């Protein structure tokens, strides 16, 4: 659109339709032009989408393509505080060949691609911030190639953690990585998920053997070679771990081969209260130093324990608390328990409550996994938002004390729970989504928390990922040269920036 007669954009004054206006009108005019450009861009995108629709429907069928508002909104958000950003279209491929064909259509028409698993992420990773096509992978839900004797299995992206373990129930095997939510396993690989069992069994990085990935141009690759599943390898670059944690920005994970573990002969859980955060963390460090192969060691602060007591009808002392679990043979578990009891008692631990039968253990860990809902119940009508950091174990007491002080000073509700065996903890912020001032305070708090972790040689995220919310912090953590290398890898694998744009890496400055 041409500027009106006598309009001098950027001058001291502007004459529009014969009337002289002061500088404020200039900004209004610029806003008008910007909105006009956005509208024009949306119109062009809609035209491209219309031209691609027949190809999408020929690949997935009529039922495999949705333009419905409710479906698009469902696929435009996760469990984070970030606003819903619906895609322009949702497709439901049924196999890797369809994913590849769909990606080729998107490449041809330069349409953006956003992979979607179960939507349980916590950093806005599935939001279509620039529109595009959401690849919902729920229909690819087959468990493939179980090798019991080799302790591995291959699954499609629609398979969740709970579904896999239910399938494995009678084999004597299980997959232990447990982020709490019933997330899809390929989605867990994409975000490098972790959880309560990581102190013994590791994170997704340690438990993914091979990946099938569809690149932005539709090429299908296998990061460790097609069909390969060795326990270890020194062959070439580690492409598997390049895609683990890539959050859909480098390709779409359509299969993952995972390590499995034998179900332990015996499991014992316990809860122990402490007089201080320092005492709880000191016990954690000493337990690990003693070589106890503890399976889970979880920390809850006094605020979180109080919330869990109320929500789950429990009666634990309202003090810093450790939840622990031991796996092994009957004899080894007994030794682990005795060593741990001695260590915790020497640090003032008290009110030890043991659970060996399955029902009691499940009830105990359900209370821990329900901590999110327990925290949210502290302020009915509000929304829970979790942020996480990870620091060296020796820094854990100080950062938790500083964080609790920060929460109190800024009048924020943020119970703390953490995987202390890894130095990883979460603040579950409970905020009023309709209060912009409170949301701003939470945002500033989250940045202070992350920078506090970075100052202690830690990371801005231990397991949630970067997504939208921690892109600036990632730059501070990695430094410009490392970020430049990451951008180079992105440009090589996705030169047109079609794969989940706007996540992990900040947009380039033009």
């Amino acid at each position: 659109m041409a500027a009106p007669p006598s309009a001098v954009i950027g001058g001291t004054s502007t004459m529009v339709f014969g009337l002289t206006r002061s500088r404020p009108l200039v900004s209004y005019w610029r806003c008008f032009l910007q909105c006009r450009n956005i509208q024009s861009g949306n119109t062009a995108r809609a035209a491209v989408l219309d031209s691609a629709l027949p190809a999408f429907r020929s690949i997935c069928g009529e039922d495999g393509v949705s333009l419905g508002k409710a479906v698009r909104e469902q696929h435009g958000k996760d469990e984070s505080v970030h606003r819903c950003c619906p895609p322009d279209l949702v497709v439901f491929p049924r196999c890797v060949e369809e994913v590849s064909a769909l990606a080729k259509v998107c490449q041809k028409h330069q349409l953006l691609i956003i992979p979607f698993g179960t939507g349980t992420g916590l950093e806005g990773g599935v939001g279509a911030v620039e529109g595009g096509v959401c690849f919902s992978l729920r229909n690819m839900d087959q468990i493939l190639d179980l090798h019991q004797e080799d302790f591995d299995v291959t699954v499609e992206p629609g398979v969740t953690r709970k579904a896999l373990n239910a399938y494995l129930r009678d084999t004597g095997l299980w997959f232990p990585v447990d982020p709490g939510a019933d997330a899809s396993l390929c989605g867990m690989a994409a975000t490098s998920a972790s959880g309560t069992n990581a102190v013994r069994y590791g994170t997704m990085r340690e438990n993914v053997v091979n990946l099938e990935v569809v690149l932005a141009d539709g090429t299908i690759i296998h990061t460790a070679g097609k069909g390969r599943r060795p326990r270890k390898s020194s062959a070439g670059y580690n492409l598997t771990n390049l895609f683990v944690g890539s959050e859909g920005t480098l390709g779409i994970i359509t299969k993952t081969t995972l390590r499995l573990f034998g179900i332990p002969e015996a499991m014992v859980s316990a809860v122990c209260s402490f007089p201080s955060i320092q005492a709880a963390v000191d016990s954690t460090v000493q337990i690990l130093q003693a070589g106890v192969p503890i399976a889970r060691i979880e920390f809850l602060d006094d605020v979180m324990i109080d919330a869990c007591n109320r929500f789950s009808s429990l009666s634990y002392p309202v003090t810093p608390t450790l939840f622990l679990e031991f796996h092994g043979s009957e004899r080894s578990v007994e030794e682990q328990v005795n060593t741990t009891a001695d260590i915790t008692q020497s640090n003032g631990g008290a009110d030890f409550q043991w659970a060996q039968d399955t029902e009691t253990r499940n009830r105990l860990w359900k209370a821990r996994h329900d901590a999110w809902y327990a925290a949210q119940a502290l302020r009915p009508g509000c929304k829970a938002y979790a942020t996480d950091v990870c620091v060296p174990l020796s820094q854990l007491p100080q950062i938790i004390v500083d964080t609790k002080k920060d929460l109190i000073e800024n009048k924020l509700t943020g119970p703390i729970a953490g995987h202390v065996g890894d130095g990883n903890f979460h603040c579950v912020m409970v905020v009023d989504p309709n209060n912009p001032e409170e949301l701003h305070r939470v945002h500033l708090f989250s940045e202070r928390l992350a920078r506090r972790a970075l100052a202690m040689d830690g990371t801005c995220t231990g397991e949630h990922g970067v997504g939208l919310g921690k892109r600036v912090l990632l730059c501070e953590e990695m430094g410009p040269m490392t970020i430049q290398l990451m951008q180079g890898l992105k440009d090589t694998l996705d030169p047109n920036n079609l794969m989940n744009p706007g996540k992990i890496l900040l947009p380039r400055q033009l």
Side-chain angles (χ1 to χ4, degrees):
M1 178 178 178
S6 302
V8 183
I9 306 300
T12 303
S13 63
T14 306
M15 180 172 287
V16 182
F17 303 121
L19 299 175
T20 302
R21 290 289 182 265
S22 59
R23 188 177 294 274
L25 185 58
V26 177
S27 62
Y28 294 144
W29 177 248
R30 282 178 176 158
C31 285
F32 171 75
L33 289 177
Q34 185 179 23
C35 292
R36 184 67 179 260
N37 287 339
I38 291 171
Q39 186 178 24
S40 174
N42 288 343
T43 302
R45 197 167 77 201
V48 172
L49 200 65
D50 283 343
S51 66
L53 265 176
F56 289 141
R57 287 176 173 145
S58 70
I59 296 166
C60 293
E62 289 289 336
D63 294 339
V65 179
S66 178
L67 290 161
K69 181 180 178 182
V71 174
R72 291 188 297 110
E73 288 182 348
Q74 176 192 350
H75 289 82
K77 61 183 178 182
D78 55 15
E79 296 296 331
S80 72
V81 75
H82 299 285
R83 66 184 178 86
C84 177
C85 295
D88 300 313
L89 176 78
V90 182
V91 292
F92 298 89
R94 295 159 292 195
C95 60
V96 65
E97 290 78 15
E98 290 189 0
V99 174
S100 174
L102 291 166
K104 288 175 181 176
V105 174
C106 290
Q107 173 85 359
K108 177 182 176 181
H109 294 276
Q110 293 295 283
L111 290 168
L112 306 180
I113 299 169
I114 304 95
F116 187 96
T118 55
T120 55
L122 294 167
E123 288 296 343
V126 298
V129 291
E130 300 176 34
V133 181
C134 173
F135 284 47
S136 182
L137 304 169
R138 70 186 187 193
N139 290 338
M140 298 173 64
D141 59 358
Q142 297 300 303
I143 297 173
L144 311 167
D145 300 328
L146 170 62
H147 299 96
Q148 292 179 234
E149 66 282 6
D150 295 325
F151 294 85
D152 65 61
V153 67
T154 301
V155 300
E156 291 185 327
V159 179
T160 66
R161 173 182 64 85
K162 289 183 179 179
L164 175 60
N165 280 327
Y167 180 85
L168 295 172
R169 186 175 293 132
D170 297 328
T171 67
L173 302 174
W174 72 313
F175 183 71
V177 180
D178 176 7
D182 189 23
S184 72
L185 291 157
C186 287
M188 287 167 61
T191 57
S192 191
S194 181
T196 58
N197 287 314
V199 66
R200 175 161 180 173
Y201 299 99
T203 70
M204 289 300 287
R205 282 201 188 278
E206 292 78 44
N207 289 292
V208 174
V209 177
N210 198 351
L211 294 170
E212 179 184 80
V213 181
V214 176
L215 302 180
D217 63 359
T219 301
I220 302 170
I221 68 166
H222 298 84
T223 58
K226 188 171 183 179
R228 307 294 176 192
R229 48 188 182 85
R231 300 295 288 180
K232 64 180 182 180
S233 172
S234 59
Y237 300 134
N238 190 342
L239 295 181
T240 300
N241 272 348
L242 174 63
F243 284 92
V244 173
S246 61
E247 301 183 37
T249 62
L250 301 180
I252 305 170
I253 298 174
T254 51
K255 287 189 184 74
T256 178
T257 300
L258 302 166
R259 296 179 188 273
L260 300 177
F261 294 80
I263 296 174
E265 176 189 334
M267 296 185 186
V268 174
S269 298
V271 181
C272 184
S273 304
F274 291 86
S276 67
I277 296 167
Q278 184 75 53
V281 177
D282 283 349
S283 292
T284 301
V285 173
Q286 291 165 24
I287 289 166
L288 296 175
Q289 287 175 337
V292 176
I294 194 161
R296 309 193 208 190
I297 184 161
E298 297 287 294
F299 171 83
L300 278 69
D301 76 345
D302 53 337
V303 180
M304 185 64 87
I305 273 290
D306 185 42
C308 288
N309 279 346
R310 297 183 190 188
F311 186 81
S312 300
S313 300
L314 303 171
S315 56
Y316 297 128
V318 182
T319 62
T321 300
L322 290 181
F323 281 53
L324 311 102
E325 188 163 278
F326 311 89
H327 295 175
S329 65
E330 294 283 356
R331 182 172 179 178
S332 70
V333 165
E334 184 180 352
E335 291 174 352
Q336 294 176 49
V337 166
N338 290 337
T339 302
T340 300
D342 290 342
I343 291 171
T344 54
Q345 288 169 14
S346 70
N347 287 292
D351 298 300
F352 239 113
Q353 298 186 36
W354 298 96
Q356 188 162 9
D357 64 281
T358 302
E359 183 180 349
T360 307
R361 283 192 302 101
N362 288 344
R363 187 163 61 246
L364 184 155
W365 286 106
K366 186 178 188 304
R368 165 62 183 90
H369 282 319
D370 283 348
W372 172 279
Y373 305 105
Q376 190 163 265
L378 290 173
R379 294 182 65 189
C382 289
K383 181 176 175 63
Y385 159 61
T387 186
D388 84 310
V389 296
C390 189
V391 296
L393 279 177
S394 61
Q395 302 289 343
L396 200 57
Q398 187 60 52
I399 193 171
I400 292 178
V401 168
D402 292 347
T403 298
K404 288 179 70 65
K405 181 181 178 182
D406 193 342
L407 289 165
I408 292 168
E409 288 177 351
N410 288 279
K411 299 180 174 61
L412 294 171
T413 302
I416 292 173
H419 316 310
V420 284
D422 303 316
N424 179 208
F425 74 94
H426 312 266
C427 270
V428 184
M429 309 303 301
V430 190
V431 299
D432 180 356
N434 300 312
N435 185 334
E437 189 273 334
E438 185 179 4
L439 286 170
H440 183 61
R441 277 188 287 130
V442 167
H443 174 71
L444 294 178
F445 163 81
S446 299
E447 289 194 342
R448 287 194 300 273
L449 172 59
R451 292 192 171 101
R452 201 174 292 135
L454 295 182
M456 295 179 175
D457 301 326
T459 176
C460 66
T461 175
E463 60 184 23
H464 291 179
V466 175
L468 287 171
K470 294 189 173 180
R471 294 174 297 174
V472 171
L473 294 162
L474 180 71
C475 294
E476 295 177 20
E477 179 173 334
M478 296 296 178
M481 297 310 296
T482 303
I483 292 294
Q484 185 178 328
L485 179 59
M486 289 185 182
Q487 185 66 62
L489 290 168
K490 168 75 168 170
D491 293 343
T492 298
L493 292 169
D494 180 20
N496 297 312
N497 194 27
L498 300 182
M499 294 299 311
N500 209 9
K503 316 299 167 50
I504 300 184
L505 299 171
L506 288 166
R508 287 181 167 179
Q509 298 298 318
L510 300 178

